[in-house]
Amino acid sequence: MNRFWIDPAQGALPRRPWRKVHLDFHNSQHIPHIGERFNAVEFGDQLAAASVDAIVVFAKDMHGYFYYPSAYGPVHPGLRFDLLGAQVQACRARNIAVYAYYCTAWDNHLAEHHPEWLLVKRDRTNYLPKFNEAPSWTALCLAHEDFVQLMIDHAVEFVSRYEIDGAWFDMPVMRDGECYCPACLEQMRAQGLDPFDVAHQRRHKHDLHKRFIARMTAAVQLARPGCQVDYNNQGLFGLDERVPFMDNIDIEALPTASWGYYYFPLITRYARITGRTTYGMTGRFHQSWADFGGLKLPAQLHVELAGIVANGARCDIGDQPPPHARLDPAVYQVIGEAYGRIKALEPWLEGATPVTEAALLVSGLPLDPPSTEANYGLAKLLVESRVQFDVLEPHMAWERYRLVVLSEQLVVDATLAERLQAYMAAGGSVIAVDDSGRIAGSEASWLEPWGLTYHGASPFKPAYLVADGATTGTTLPAYEFALYEGASRWRTVAPAQSIATLGEQLFQRSGAHYTSHAQSPFDHATEYSAASLADRLAHIAFPIGLSYFHTGYWVYRHLFQHVLKTLLRDPLLESNAPLSTEVTMTHQPATTDHAERCMVHVVNWSPLRQSPRHPTFYEDPIALTDVKVVVRPPMQVTKARAVVAGIDLPITLRDNGDIEITLSRVPVHEMVCLSREQA
């Protein structure tokens, strides 16, 4: 079993910009004047001064208005000149890559004028706002050929007219993955599909989406050969089926908005394995899109961008100027400070591929998001444990990793169970969480060869984990720890060994039986196991991902790390850095400019306290000191250099060949370059 995986497809990715701005520009009919303060020279110079090397500007917005003299229209009534053309020309003159934005299945104008194209919900309503409401997402349906052809005609117009580097299509995924309009009902029934079966709906909408992006990409590239084609919101299951029709994946993940700070670390590990460049999109806003008056500090963007590049992705910062279209100098002062740092690091970023040793295996219906709370919790556990991992679906090539973690929400069928058994027989290790240890839809355990049988869910929530210090990695005496999200009953016999027992209450709290303020206390230990170990296998009998994400209970992390130490004895990285720190590894092959080298990123996510109404902020980092990192790199190393600090670091070579380095200070982001000195 290989100790590590370096994806050759990622190392061969095309060179693309590292410092992009997504210039949102949605303006309703209530805005009387558009672009009245726009100056092309000032626009281009301000982008260049802020170290921006790529930008997305608008061809058509979500309200349905064009920003150039389109033959189709409507052009925004407040616009008196070709704004798109002027922006493209300014960027071309300064060697800034420029992409044209087009909103697809969210178009307020078309929704009002073509009600036959509206997406219909299961209850026969649609997404049109009430007469006293502002529009949110006026969802349209891709089952209508005339709608699809109109969008293609629009794209061909602006792509052929302007010398753009790419077309950027927003909202191409049908809202909620379902539609019950007459066209969808007719198509599904003609294919023998049940429109009221969620799985059938997802498959039909996924097929509609694929056909749409395939046709759109072909039309764009015919109109302008070599034009890059991007589609937003692609961090959804079934991505590998859609990847042939796109050139790049932008991960929209404004962390201070609804996405939070766990979305990008999970989705980037899913998107980056598809053989496409990826961008992590944050925003300059204090909150979310169109937060006029909201502006981050440079320190906030600094840590967010560090987290993006540490995972092998490129940077994208969202901005939205006022309707007058003049870029705000304060915004680009902040962006410039952040992008100046990224520009200085690019020689160590270009062509760098994440080095991984484990896979988090997740599953769901096409167009469902992997970004569930359970998967967030597992990703959080892996990041805090310094495990270098990717996120894969069951049909992918996860056997190349030496450790596979099975999400508690993973659907394990007989075929997948056979693959997992063969993988362990070949030397791979598995951490199976809760229901992933049984065949979906049955009571059968596929872990029986290892002595684990399933006996149903515990009727108690919380249940209890009866463990001692050896299990929890502490000096605490034996204790009954609450399993707040409940547990399942698993019986363990040889060759498996129980390392923690399942405990239960006297009664489940209800109106008929209750005591004190919350759950009933621990009453008795059961014959079942809460966690067990066997050769190359660990099973955790409760939803540890969901539990950890909801409560952050330290005992869940200690238990997880206890089984990790058994199954992953020589991880790629270890560190004494605080849990909030993210530590990752990337690899660059030798080029004419440099020898083969590895980079260890240490990102100091040092948060402020958070009140109930605002998200986590990273604006006042507490510098880390004396950070030790133990590295087992995939190459021989004789030299270490802290790139950000600009100093060489002494290397301590341990008896087993491990490399130890110490970083005296990490304010926000340090990148250690490990290389072999030339003779």
Side-chain angles (χ1 to χ4, degrees), residues 439-455:
I439 303 295
S442 77
E443 303 288 295
S445 165
W446 63 268
L447 300 176
E448 287 188 9
W450 288 267
L452 291 162
T453 54
Y454 177 72
H455 294 271

Side-chain angles (χ1 to χ4, degrees), residues 203-276:
R203 174 47 61 185
H204 179 250
K205 300 310 171 289
H206 193 225
D207 289 344
L208 283 179
H209 176 66
K210 284 193 298 181
R211 285 199 296 271
F212 167 62
I213 64 176
R215 290 177 60 188
M216 181 64 84
T217 297
V220 167
Q221 294 181 340
L222 181 63
R224 180 170 293 280
C227 185
Q228 182 177 317
V229 185
D230 299 347
Y231 299 93
N232 195 22
N233 196 27
Q234 293 301 319
L236 305 169
F237 284 121
L239 177 57
D240 60 325
E241 294 184 40
R242 305 188 297 273
V243 152
F245 312 115
M246 61 188 72
D247 296 312
N248 169 73
I249 300 169
D250 277 24
I251 303 172
E252 183 182 3
L254 279 63
T256 52
S258 58
W259 291 271
Y261 279 95
Y262 296 103
Y263 182 86
F264 177 78
L266 178 75
I267 299 300
T268 191
R269 288 171 165 85
Y270 174 65
R272 71 190 185 189
I273 65 171
T274 59
R276 296 293 185 270

Side-chain angles (χ1 to χ4, degrees), residues 548-587:
Y548 192 58
F549 187 76
H550 280 178
T551 68
Y553 198 5
W554 63 265
V555 70
Y556 305 151
R557 182 182 66 251
H558 281 240
L559 173 66
F560 187 79
Q561 292 177 344
H562 176 71
V563 300
L564 266 180
K565 289 177 182 178
T566 303
L567 300 179
L568 197 65
R569 296 182 184 277
D570 54 347
L572 289 168
L573 292 172
E574 295 179 88
S575 178
N576 69 342
L579 288 171
S580 58
T581 311
E582 186 171 6
V583 186
T584 63
M585 182 189 292
T586 60
H587 171 268

